[in-house]
Amino acid sequence: MKILKNGLMLIGMLCVISSLIFAVQNTMDGTSNDQGPHEEEANSYRYKVRAIDIPTDLNFAEESVPVNDPEVMERIDREFLVNTYWQSNALLLMKRANKYFPIIEPILKKNGIPDDFKYLAVAESGLHNVVSPAGATGFWQIMKGTGKDYGLEINENVDERYHLEKSTEVACRYLKSSKEKFGSWTLAAASYNAGPYGIKKYQGVQQVDAYYDLLLGEETGRYVFRILAIKEILSNPEKYGFEIGKEDLYTSVPTFTVEVDSPVANFADFAQDYEINYKILKRHNPWLREASLNNSSKKKYVIEIPNKGYYKVSK
């Protein structure tokens, strides 16, 4: 009896082990039939990374892109992949664009600059007041010397490269001058990155005129393609997998203006007179670089003040 009992126990253990092995094999090869409804639903919504279908009718400022050129297509594809799958950055750009494009667009239109150049500002700064390692500043990344040449005030108290309307006006004048030099909006955009001298030098050495025929440095070589990708993605977010509602976008706070034609000893006190604080004042007037304003020349400055009720300010 003892032998029979031990034999039955051994057979039972073998059956259990066999069942476990069979279950593991089925799980590994995907043939398991005991998958619950929640697991099936999760698998159906797995994150998938796919190649991107590049539009065949790409253009910049109504100048066609030679997408049939395989070298050009590879460069376009790179920028579409980088900018589509950097999802956090793309979403931030969409949110900011809703806030700042309504300011930029009418200035471009007034100056006869194609609307597509708003995407150049996106490529330059991400619609953020940043400073490059070379010292280029603001949404339009204007160098100090260039800003002064075009009439912007740049000193310790005031830096109008941070003034969105005024810096956009300067960018328009620069781009219009470049268009006259090169006869092409695409080359005008490229020269914004490399400078007119740089583009002329490349054209002379390589004996070609068109941007897409030039062998350029890494940054300028990618520049227009990046703008093209940003334009397409921001114009058609759903097409590239982005779900963003109107309620998700950033919006401007309504403001009124105050004229100042005398020194301001302390902008923190100035802000309190309008029931805001220094941080909020600087948010709406980033071109004010110090906590005071010398203004010995009695120049007239226009300062934006947000309407009441939009910010909570501690007393």
Side-chain angles (χ1 to χ4, degrees):
M1 288 294 293
K2 187 175 181 180
I3 294 173
L4 178 60
K5 184 177 179 181
N6 289 339
L8 290 172
M9 287 178 63
L10 180 61
I11 292 169
M13 289 177 64
L14 289 172
C15 289
V16 170
I17 292 170
S18 298
S19 298
L20 288 172
I21 292 171
F22 181 76
V24 169
Q25 287 177 334
N26 280 350
T27 301
M28 292 178 67
D29 65 17
T31 59
S32 175
N33 292 321
D34 60 357
Q35 188 179 53
H38 295 296
E39 286 80 7
E40 288 179 2
E41 183 179 355
N43 284 339
S44 68
Y45 288 99
R46 283 182 302 172
Y47 181 75
K48 296 173 184 176
V49 179
R50 299 183 176 91
I52 295 171
D53 293 328
I54 306 298
T56 58
D57 58 349
L58 289 177
N59 74 86
F60 178 75
E62 298 187 0
E63 296 176 2
S64 296
V65 181
V67 293
N68 293 327
D69 183 316
E71 189 268 345
V72 168
M73 179 53 80
E74 285 189 20
R75 292 160 71 187
I76 295 171
D77 190 51
R78 175 183 182 178
E79 301 309 322
F80 268 77
L81 288 168
V82 169
N83 288 281
T84 299
Y85 287 113
W86 189 6
Q87 294 99 329
S88 59
N89 186 65
L91 284 169
L92 277 172
L93 297 182
M94 293 171 197
K95 288 170 177 278
R96 291 175 188 154
N98 188 69
K99 182 177 181 179
Y100 296 114
F101 277 1
I103 300 171
I104 294 171
E105 288 167 348
I107 299 174
L108 295 177
K109 185 176 181 179
K110 181 187 74 174
N111 286 278
I113 304 297
D115 190 66
D116 282 357
F117 277 93
K118 66 191 179 188
Y119 300 107
L120 183 146
V122 179
E124 283 287 335
S125 65
L127 298 178
H128 210 51
N129 273 317
V130 295
V131 180
S132 78
T137 297
F139 277 40
W140 293 94
Q141 290 291 277
I142 298 170
M143 295 295 290
K144 186 175 183 178
T146 303
K148 287 188 170 184
D149 288 344
Y150 280 85
L152 294 180
E153 181 178 352
I154 302 172
N155 54 48
E156 290 184 357
N157 278 183
V158 171
D159 189 339
E160 291 181 333
R161 292 176 294 174
Y162 291 96
H163 193 296
L164 181 53
E165 289 89 346
K166 291 185 178 182
S167 62
T168 303
E169 290 281 356
V170 167
C172 287
R173 289 167 59 195
Y174 186 96
L175 291 165
K176 189 176 290 187
S177 175
S178 295
K179 171 63 161 58
E180 291 171 359
K181 283 185 178 77
F182 297 107
S184 157
W185 286 118
T186 304
L187 283 169
S191 73
Y192 197 92
N193 180 260
Y197 174 78
I199 296 298
K200 280 289 186 186
K201 181 181 177 182
Y202 282 118
Q203 287 179 322
V205 170
Q206 298 176 32
Q207 299 181 28
V208 292
D209 293 324
Y211 172 81
Y212 301 105
D213 292 330
L214 286 167
L215 178 62
L216 300 165
E218 174 75 6
E219 185 178 344
T220 309
R222 294 181 63 182
Y223 190 68
V224 171
F225 295 103
R226 185 179 178 213
I227 295 170
L228 287 166
I230 291 170
K231 171 189 171 182
E232 173 66 15
I233 295 164
L234 266 61
S235 300
N236 304 285
E238 297 85 2
K239 180 179 175 182
Y240 297 95
F242 293 97
E243 295 183 3
I244 185 165
K246 190 174 181 180
E247 68 279 3
D248 300 317
L249 303 173
Y250 300 153
T251 56
S252 294
V253 170
T255 62
F256 61 95
T257 59
V258 173
E259 291 185 352
V260 172
D261 59 3
S262 59
V264 178
N266 189 318
F267 273 121
D269 292 337
F270 179 93
Q272 289 177 14
D273 290 341
Y274 295 96
E275 301 181 30
I276 56 174
N277 57 32
Y278 180 73
K279 181 184 77 171
I280 295 169
L281 180 73
K282 284 294 297 291
R283 177 180 176 87
H284 286 272
N285 303 275
W287 53 275
L288 294 171
R289 303 310 297 165
E290 296 288 341
S292 60
L293 181 66
N294 296 331
N295 200 14
S296 57
S297 63
K298 305 292 184 180
K299 180 179 176 179
K300 185 183 290 183
Y301 293 94
V302 178
I303 296 176
E304 285 195 9
I305 306 295
N307 290 356
K308 291 181 181 180
Y310 284 88
Y311 294 102
K312 281 189 175 181
V313 180
S314 302
K315 299 294 184 183

